[in-house]
Amino acid sequence: MHRITIKEVVDTLKNCVDPEVGIDVVSLGLIYGIEIDEKNNIKVKLTMTSPMCPLTSVILADIQLRLENIPDVGEVDLELVWDPLWSPEMMTQDVKAKLGYA
């Protein structure tokens, strides 16, 4: 069994795109934390751009499925949080520029 790394999880999450804006959840700044234990169980603390996001369940299902498909993964636990609230400052610089925030 190979040991899953944070980089592997982040690379996987970069394939999870918010359908409303067409940008991945990592670049949007939605991922607040990633933990991986010795059994390759993954816990991701994340948020959405808004508590009223109509696509929350779609995005969470995509993240869950992609993480569960990492070879040798244990359990996947997604913790949706609202503190701190997401803001455009959390996006990467290139995404800010692309969306006109820079």
Side-chain angles (χ1 to χ4, degrees), residues 16-30 47-50 53-55 58-59 86 88 91-92 94-96 98-101:
C16 300
V17 174
D18 180 328
E20 285 188 310
V21 291
I23 298 171
D24 71 88
V25 297
V26 174
S27 298
L28 281 172
L30 300 179
T47 194
M48 295 290 127
T49 55
S50 162
C53 177
L55 296 171
V58 171
I59 295 167
W86 179 87
M91 296 185 289
T92 61
D94 50 329
V95 170
K96 286 181 193 177
K98 180 179 178 181
L99 297 179
Y101 285 97

Side-chain angles (χ1 to χ4, degrees), residues 2-90:
H2 91 285
R3 186 89 163 95
I4 296 173
T5 64
I6 297 284
K7 180 184 181 330
E8 196 173 357
V9 173
V10 169
D11 288 347
T12 299
L13 292 172
K14 286 181 179 177
N15 292 307
C16 300
V17 174
D18 180 328
E20 285 188 310
V21 291
I23 298 171
D24 71 88
V25 297
V26 174
S27 298
L28 281 172
L30 300 179
I31 306 303
Y32 287 178
I34 298 169
E35 297 174 13
I36 305 166
D37 70 15
E38 66 283 344
K39 295 180 181 176
N40 280 344
N41 296 316
I42 301 171
K43 180 173 183 175
V44 178
K45 188 180 287 191
L46 70 157
T47 194
M48 295 290 127
T49 55
S50 162
M52 303 306 287
C53 177
L55 296 171
T56 298
S57 61
V58 171
I59 295 167
L60 292 177
D62 184 38
I63 291 170
Q64 185 85 28
L65 182 64
R66 289 178 189 271
L67 293 177
E68 286 175 350
N69 282 313
I70 295 174
D72 298 322
V73 73
E75 294 181 21
V76 174
D77 178 29
L78 304 179
E79 181 183 355
L80 187 60
V81 298
W82 303 108
D83 184 26
L85 284 175
W86 179 87
S87 70
E89 291 78 37
M90 295 175 171

